Amino acid sequence: MKLTRLFSLPLLAAAPLMLAACGDDVAADGAQPAGEALPAVAAPAGTKWADTVTVTPEGGYMIGNPDAPLKLVEYASHTCSHCAEFSQTGKQPLKDKYVASGVVSFEQRQTFLNPYDVVIAGLATCGAKEQMQPLSDQVWQNLPAVFQGLQGNPQAVEAAGALPIGQRFAAIAEATGLIEFFAARGISADQARTCLADAPRIEALVKQVEANNTKDKVTGTPTFFLNGNRVEGTTWALIEPQLQRAGAR
């Protein structure tokens, strides 16, 4: 979605798109891992790869060994149910088994399906870089409750959508309960409002997302890439075998 449309699209019109815009899955091929496993890479003394966070040049948040031989990238929307499913079923084994070994890094990049995604991403990236993926996972793990908030105060949301950019996103967050949601998870209300009032920061975030999506031809969420090549499937049941065939064990 283009920058100007994200900033002008009526919020209520965007709401029904949240579930429908997510990508569909494909059937598993049942193939078994072949070839030798890649050797584990030890983390620096006193550290763990699963706790190592890097902000990439594309604006993504990567956990794991920055030099891992297998680099898994997910383009995700915070209002996508398939992204929530991957977070709930795949993120923990991905981190515990594959990222922890130093063989796989996992990078999360934003995709915006609607203006709500801009607000949530603005909040998830408001704190320390180590907070970003855990905050995103909290959104996905509580997605039904988040949806209730997004759709529970339509008049206030509509009014917020008409405000100037510097006021709009904080007002949307107030009206939808997102300020309280993130405050309960370590982003204070004042911190959240300050982040969302920073119009140049929000505009830069949207432009980065737009550039990434255009470059990688991302049209749905979640979309995965492994070492720069698009990966078929949206579920952990399909992603894990492809990591294994590439040498992760």
Side-chain angles (χ1 to χ4, degrees):
M1 185 175 293
K2 292 295 185 182
L3 175 68
T4 52
R5 286 207 65 215
L6 269 173
F7 286 160
S8 63
L9 186 67
L11 272 294
L12 298 182
L17 300 177
M18 293 179 196
L19 293 175
C22 297
D24 294 324
D25 221 327
V26 296
D29 60 17
Q32 297 299 310
E36 295 186 4
L38 294 169
V41 180
T47 69
K48 297 179 180 179
W49 285 130
D51 297 331
T52 301
V53 179
T54 305
V55 180
T56 69
E58 293 79 15
Y61 286 73
M62 180 177 67
I63 59 171
N65 177 7
D67 298 316
L70 300 179
K71 300 182 184 298
L72 181 67
V73 174
E74 177 192 13
Y75 281 91
S77 153
H78 285 105
T79 56
C80 169
S81 61
H82 290 297
C83 303
E85 180 184 359
F86 180 80
S87 172
Q88 293 163 8
T89 62
K91 288 288 281 295
Q92 205 60 51
L94 173 61
K95 291 191 292 184
D96 291 348
K97 184 174 182 180
Y98 299 105
V99 172
S101 73
V103 171
V104 177
S105 65
F106 175 71
E107 179 183 346
Q108 179 184 320
R109 296 181 188 171
Q110 311 282 353
T111 295
F112 296 152
L113 305 179
N114 52 65
Y116 296 121
D117 278 331
V118 181
V119 178
I120 298 172
L123 291 167
T125 58
C126 189
K129 61 184 179 181
E130 290 79 12
Q131 291 179 282
M132 192 276 172
Q133 285 208 30
L135 286 171
S136 293
D137 290 332
Q138 281 290 305
V139 173
W140 286 316
Q141 289 164 17
N142 294 279
L143 199 56
V146 170
F147 277 179
Q148 285 184 354
L150 297 184
Q151 299 172 325
N153 195 354
Q155 291 82 11
V157 169
E158 178 123 11
L163 293 172
I165 294 297
Q167 303 172 34
R168 182 179 309 174
F169 296 110
I172 292 169
E174 294 275 10
T176 55
L178 288 170
I179 295 288
E180 291 82 359
F181 182 91
F182 279 85
R185 292 160 177 82
I187 302 296
S188 73
D190 287 344
Q191 183 182 6
R193 294 186 189 100
T194 298
C195 283
L196 294 177
D198 188 345
R201 173 180 175 270
I202 297 296
E203 290 179 0
L205 176 63
V206 174
K207 287 179 180 178
Q208 179 72 74
V209 168
E210 183 180 280
N212 290 342
N213 290 346
T214 299
K215 177 176 68 71
D216 286 336
K217 299 180 174 62
V218 176
T219 58
T221 56
T223 296
F224 292 90
F225 290 83
L226 181 59
N227 288 355
N229 297 310
R230 191 181 296 264
V231 174
E232 293 298 327
T234 66
T235 65
W236 178 239
L238 297 179
I239 300 301
E240 183 179 27
Q242 296 180 73
L243 288 174
Q244 293 177 338
R245 287 198 291 274
R249 296 290 193 275

